Amino acid sequence: MQFQWYPGHMTKAKRQMQEDIKLVDLVIELVDARIPFSSRNPDIDTLGQNKARLILLNKSDLADEEQNEAWAAFFREKGYYVVRMDARSRAGMKQTLSVIMESCKEKIERDRRKGIINRPVRAMVVGIPNVGKSTFINTFAGRACAKTGNKPGVTKGKQWIRLNKNVELLDTPGILWPKFEDQSVGLRLALIGSIKDEILNVDELSLELIELMRREYPGILAGRYEVEENGSAAEVLGQIAGNRGCIRKGGELDYSKAAALVLDEFRTGRLGKITLEKPAGKA
């Protein structure tokens, strides 16, 4: 299965971000803690050159805690500020505000020397579709000022949000990049929902997830669905269909319904705290 999704509005959004980057002091990049490498748009590093950089490991409550620690260390070693957080529950929000001020302390000090007092830090919030940017901004600001949705591509226009007298945020649309050189990156993005399910083969996607789960987290599927994990991924999916009542008229197993179930339970954390990639070997 080939993975690619780059609708036309993303090209326009990237051009707008290239213009807007001149207005900000800091780039806040949200990544999905379950795939911190694959959920980073490589264009952001070019875009954010010479700016302070903060990476938010969002949805860290859904990820393997040991790997959260490993990824935070990985990014800090590369010079980024890092906060682990869950935008929905406010976990990590207070720390995020203090890290924003810490990351821009040189800018604040330069302003002070020039006699500029209380000019707010301006930060651009970036990230690929469905990593939780709008939820982060709404939770951070304490009000619904950015549109949110559980489908990729909801945020379309430019929005400035003033958090307080010290910080202003620029919300941006989620953008991917034109071509995934490594299709395993596309696979992981599809698994977390950053590529629209409507353009994917969800049945095949669930089989990929089952293979990955058996390899990296053996026993979780067996415990959750009361299945045998040996045999092919299709056989495991068939067992899940049978055990969860995914049956068509005539008694046939409904593989598609079972596939959607497995994907949904992974994405919502009901399969447990799972990270799909490790920092070892990442550039």
Side-chain angles (χ1 to χ4, degrees):
M1 183 165 47
Q2 291 290 304
F3 300 94
Q4 200 60 54
W5 184 51
Y6 194 70
H9 75 267
M10 290 188 181
T11 302
K12 182 180 177 183
K14 181 182 174 184
R15 284 198 299 266
Q16 186 64 55
M17 288 166 68
Q18 288 169 332
E19 286 297 311
D20 293 339
I21 195 73
K22 304 166 190 173
L23 306 174
V24 305
D25 312 297
L26 168 69
V27 176
I28 300 175
E29 181 180 3
L30 273 80
V31 302
D32 191 304
R34 296 167 295 179
I35 56 166
F37 186 79
S38 294
S39 60
R40 295 195 68 216
N41 185 334
D43 292 339
I44 298 301
D45 280 340
T46 304
L47 189 73
Q49 282 181 338
N50 304 317
K51 301 291 181 181
R53 300 292 301 279
L54 167 58
I55 288 181
L56 300 181
L57 288 167
N58 194 30
K59 305 185 183 182
S60 59
D61 59 308
L62 302 177
D64 184 325
E65 186 56 35
E66 184 178 334
Q67 294 305 319
N68 285 341
E69 294 276 2
W71 277 109
F74 172 85
F75 287 125
R76 287 190 184 108
E77 192 174 309
K78 293 187 174 297
Y80 299 97
Y81 290 87
V82 183
V83 176
R84 287 174 292 163
M85 63 172 297
D86 170 24
R88 294 164 304 174
S89 71
R90 298 192 63 85
M93 286 295 179
K94 190 176 291 187
Q95 184 186 1
T96 298
L97 184 57
S98 64
V99 172
I100 287 173
M101 303 310 292
E102 170 69 17
S103 67
C104 292
K105 64 182 179 181
E106 291 181 11
K107 175 260 180 194
I108 295 168
E109 179 58 27
R110 283 196 306 271
D111 283 353
R112 191 188 64 77
R113 288 198 298 267
K114 294 175 184 175
I116 302 170
I117 307 297
N118 294 330
R119 185 166 76 181
V121 168
R122 305 191 96 187
M124 177 184 282
V125 182
V126 301
I128 66 167
N130 218 32
V131 290
K133 294 190 313 302
S134 296
T135 301
F136 161 69
I137 288 172
N138 289 344
T139 306
F140 205 19
R143 60 190 186 278
C145 43
K147 293 179 182 178
T148 61
N150 59 5
K151 291 188 177 182
V154 170
T155 307
K156 293 284 194 298
K158 180 166 71 171
Q159 302 183 71
W160 280 102
I161 297 99
R162 182 152 191 155
L163 291 184
N164 52 42
K165 66 178 183 180
N166 296 318
V167 181
E168 291 181 354
L169 300 180
L170 175 60
D171 190 17
T172 61
I175 59 170
L176 294 169
W177 53 106
K179 185 178 180 182
F180 303 138
E181 299 295 341
D182 181 353
Q183 282 294 298
S184 67
V185 169
L187 168 62
R188 288 188 281 269
L189 290 171
L191 286 171
I192 68 163
S194 287
I195 299 175
K196 286 186 175 180
D197 284 343
E198 291 87 342
I199 67 169
L200 299 169
N201 184 322
V202 172
D203 293 13
E204 286 187 29
L205 194 59
S206 73
L207 295 178
E208 295 279 6
L209 177 60
I210 287 169
E211 288 285 10
L212 194 151
M213 291 290 297
R214 293 193 302 180
R215 184 173 65 249
E216 301 294 337
Y217 293 92
I220 283 185
L221 294 176
R224 177 73 179 170
Y225 300 115
E226 299 179 342
V227 298
E228 296 289 336
E229 290 191 4
N230 50 8
S232 71
E235 288 170 339
V236 174
L237 185 61
Q239 292 179 64
I240 294 171
N243 290 351
R244 286 301 180 94
C246 302
I247 310 292
R248 297 181 187 276
K249 284 184 179 179
E252 284 185 25
L253 295 175
D254 190 336
Y255 284 88
S256 294
K257 187 174 181 180
L261 170 73
V262 173
L263 277 176
D264 180 67
E265 295 209 332
F266 160 68
R267 289 171 178 171
T268 55
R270 279 173 282 182
L271 289 185
K273 295 179 181 293
I274 295 163
T275 301
L276 300 181
E277 59 188 0
K278 299 175 181 178
K282 300 298 183 185

